[in-house]
């Protein structure tokens, strides 16, 4: 027998991307079914960096403190990266406060990054969706096929334990189902770019002796630069569980357990008991889908973009996809959002994906093996010179991998069809230097208010209009009235007298549900503004065409 279920949105994949999307929809009361074919419990060699932008979302969802409490390493654990010959060998240099993870108050953002295994992130997200009555999770269920009409999607899903089928009817379907996406296959989208730069081996290891006799300096990563076993060791908890990344030689597709142990001992610098908990082969790619959508079916996360995991971007980039799609789907399903919102998804996210892929590829250029020099461990003048030289090279080539605010918070939607520009130029892009700007399309500048709260804490699930000057009060009321008439969820936030007019360089600033600036100024055609931000401009049509006609040309910025 085939059971039939109905929902508003079907999400394929219950990793961080699918769960983020489900939370955004569930918070707005949208009915969601999430299907996931694999067990996602236990240690897996996946992401470990939850960056400051994702932590902003965690704060919005009420999860920031829960995630920090669940993180296995202590709250005050330093987020430094140590480069040394072996774990107990000679230190070459240290990059401090990687990913802006130091637990201190910063005017630029409300939440520092958190070093935490992805399986812990997923656990916290699962706990959140369990409290959202409109979200239903079907584990052990795979998507077999899907078709669509002008009014909805019909999917066939299979329970892997009972081998029974279920028909799911939804208005929209999102493939957050990873690099081997079934949804991508169904809609006929193609990944374009460069495949398999090299084969790598990720391991989760249990090394209890490292808990009893840890390295002299605590760090979230130890880049180990030696000819016998170049790689990266990272602590996952305080109980001897570590992650280890090593690269395989050209033509090698697997390594034995004995070889793994040998490499681990060489990386540590001494023998000790090692247990292999989990392992994963992976190849670095530079790939992006030729399109993210076929009418009512969409792609998000690794299903539409892949890059090396250097810079901590992957999981976080996908979560941002889920956030972007979430509020836009809710707007359309609630009746106030138009087709322009859905069309803007690829227009907005693709340039961000391309820029981030560029950064990840740049970081992948220089790994531990490329930093090798003779005499690094030598107790001699030659050794001193070699260590000094490689330290300079590390700072020159690896700093951008760990100093990333310009990419993480500097992502922006310059040419979005649902953003109203003001004629100003956005700040220059830089991988590290982040200049807060209220230029339309940029992330809203953050500020701490006098009561100790974050400005972001006062943004609503809909649009938020910041009133920053007495002179703009009448226009603010006119915008609020027009939004109410159009059914656009809207909050007017009176911040006159707070000094934020200078930070925002405007009397009014309209903030989207995802905290990006949609418009700022003191004069506007109000009716036009409301139509534009809600995606209801009459000339918008569903976009089905490829956005990347020549990826070699696009990717050439870094490949050269």
């Amino acid at each position: 027998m085939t059971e039939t279920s109905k929902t508003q949105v079907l999400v394929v994949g219950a990793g961080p991307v699918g769960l983020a999307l489900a939370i955004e929809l569930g918070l707005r009361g949208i009915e969601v079914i999430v299907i996931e074919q694999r067990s996602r419990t236990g240690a897996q060699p996946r992401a470990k960096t939850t960056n400051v932008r994702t932590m902003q979302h965690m704060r919005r969802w009420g999860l920031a403190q829960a995630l920090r409490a669940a993180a296995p390493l202590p709250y005050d654990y330093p987020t430094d990266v140590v480069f040394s010959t072996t774990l107990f060998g000679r230190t070459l240099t240290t990059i401090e406060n990687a990913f802006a993870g130091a637990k201190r108050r910063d005017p630029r953002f409300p939440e520092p990054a958190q070093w935490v295994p992805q399986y812990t992130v997923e656990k916290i997200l699962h706990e959140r969706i369990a409290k959202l009555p409109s979200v239903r999770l079907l584990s052990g269920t795979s998507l077999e096929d899907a078709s669509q009409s002008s009014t909805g999607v019909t999917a066939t899903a299979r329970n892997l334990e009972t081998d029974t089928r279920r028909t799911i009817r939804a208005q929209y379907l999102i493939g957050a189902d990873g690099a081997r996406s079934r949804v991508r296959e169904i809609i006929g989208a193609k990944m374009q770019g460069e495949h398999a730069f090299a084969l790598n081996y990720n391991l989760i290891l249990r090394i209890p002796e490292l808990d009893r006799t840890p390295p002299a300096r605590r760090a979230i990563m130890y880049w180990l630069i030696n000819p016998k076993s170049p790689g990266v060791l990272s602590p996952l908890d305080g109980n001897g569980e570590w992650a280890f990344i090593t690269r395989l030689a050209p033509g090698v597709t697997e390594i034995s357990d004995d070889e793994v142990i040998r490499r681990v001992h060489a990386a540590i610098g001494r023998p000790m008991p090692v247990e292999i908990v989990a392992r994963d082969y992976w190849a670095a790619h530079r790939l992006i889908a030729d399109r993210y959508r076929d009418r009512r079916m969409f792609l998000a996360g690794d299903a539409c973009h892949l890059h090396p995991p250097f810079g901590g971007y992957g999981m976080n980039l996908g979560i941002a996809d889920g956030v972007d799609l979430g509020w836009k789907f809710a707007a359309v399903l609630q009746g106030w959002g138009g087709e322009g919102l859905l069309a803007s998804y690829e227009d907005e996210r693709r340039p961000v994906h391309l820029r981030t892929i560029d950064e990840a590829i740049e970081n992948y250029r220089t790994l531990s093996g490329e930093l090798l020099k003779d005499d690094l461990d030598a107790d001699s003048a030659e050794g001193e010179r070699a260590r000094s030289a490689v330290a300079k090279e590390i700072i020159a080539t690896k700093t951008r991998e760990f100093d990333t605010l310009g990419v993480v918070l500097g992502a922006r939607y310059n040419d979005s069809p649902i953003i109203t520009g003001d004629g100003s130029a956005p700040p220059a892009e830089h991988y590290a230097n982040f200049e807060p700007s209220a230029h339309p399309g940029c992330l809203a500048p953050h500020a701490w208010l006098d009561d100790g709260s974050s400005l972001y804490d006062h943004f609503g699930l809909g649009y938020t209009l910041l009133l920053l000057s007495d002179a703009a009060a009448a226009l603010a009321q006119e915008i609020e009235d027009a939004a109410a008439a159009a059914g656009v969820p809207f909050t007017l936030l009176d911040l006159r007298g707070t000094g934020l007019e200078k930070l925002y360089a405007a009397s009014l600033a309209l903030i989207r549900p995802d905290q990006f600036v949609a418009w700022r100024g003191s004069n506007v055609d109000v009716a036009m503004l409301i139509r534009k931000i809600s995606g209801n401009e009459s000339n918008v049509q569903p976009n089905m065409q490829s956005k990347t006609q020549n990826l070699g040309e696009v990717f050439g910025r870094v490949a050269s």
Side-chain angles (χ1 to χ4, degrees), residues 84-90 223-226 266-270 377:
S84 58
T85 54
T86 65
L87 192 64
F88 292 100
R90 293 179 181 268
W223 280 62
L224 308 170
I225 302 166
N226 66 77
I268 293 171
R270 63 180 70 160
D377 264 319

Side-chain angles (χ1 to χ4, degrees), residues 2 31 44 46 105 138 179-180 203 237 293 339 365 416 422 432 434 446 448 489 557:
T2 300
E31 294 179 356
Q44 295 291 333
R46 298 184 180 125
R105 182 160 153 149
L138 302 178
R180 297 179 178 87
L203 298 119
D237 60 18
R293 175 189 186 185
E339 168 57 33
R365 289 187 185 282
S416 170
D422 64 354
F434 170 63
H446 177 262
W448 294 105
R557 294 196 302 269

Side-chain angles (χ1 to χ4, degrees), residues 13-34:
V17 180
L19 295 174
L21 173 58
I23 290 172
E24 288 290 341
L25 293 167
L27 287 172
R28 294 169 170 85
I30 302 299
E31 294 179 356
V32 185
I33 291 178
V34 183

Side-chain angles (χ1 to χ4, degrees), residues 2 85 87-88 100 112 117 176 213-214 238-239 282 289 419 437-438 460 521:
T2 300
T85 54
L87 192 64
F88 292 100
T213 57
N239 298 309
W282 60 272
I419 296 288
S437 171

Side-chain angles (χ1 to χ4, degrees), residues 350-370:
R350 179 178 288 274
V352 174
H353 296 156
L354 289 170
R355 183 190 179 198
T356 307
I357 291 171
D358 284 355
E359 285 296 321
I361 292 296
E362 187 63 32
N363 295 334
Y364 189 66
R365 289 187 185 282
T366 306
L367 303 183
S368 296
E370 283 74 51

Side-chain angles (χ1 to χ4, degrees), residues 442-505:
C442 290
L443 188 65
H446 177 262
W448 294 105
L449 302 184
D450 289 343
D451 63 2
S453 65
S454 163
L455 172 62
Y456 285 9
D457 295 341
H458 301 274
F459 295 167
L461 286 174
Y463 277 86
T464 302
L465 183 65
L466 309 185
L467 173 57
L468 306 172
S469 166
D470 289 334
L475 179 57
Q477 187 61 58
E478 187 179 349
I479 295 171
E480 182 177 26
D481 291 344
V488 176
F490 188 93
T491 300
L492 178 60
L493 188 56
D494 191 339
L495 295 170
R496 288 176 287 182
T498 61
L500 291 181
E501 184 178 8
K502 182 177 181 181
L503 178 64
Y504 276 77

Side-chain angles (χ1 to χ4, degrees), residues 45-46 48 203-205 232-236 241-245:
R46 298 184 180 125
K48 292 169 283 295
L203 298 119
I204 302 295
L205 308 169
V232 181
L233 268 168
S234 302
L236 295 179
E241 199 158 280
W242 290 68
F244 182 53
I245 300 177

Side-chain angles (χ1 to χ4, degrees), residues 1-8 10 31 33 35 136 138 153-158 164-170:
M1 296 180 64
T2 300
E3 182 180 347
T4 299
S5 301
K6 292 184 178 181
T7 189
Q8 290 178 288
L10 172 60
E31 294 179 356
I33 291 178
I35 63 173
R136 182 181 179 191
L138 302 178
V153 175
T154 301
T156 302
R158 181 169 69 95
T164 56
R165 268 70 176 176
R166 175 192 300 266
T167 297
I168 303 175
R169 303 189 191 281

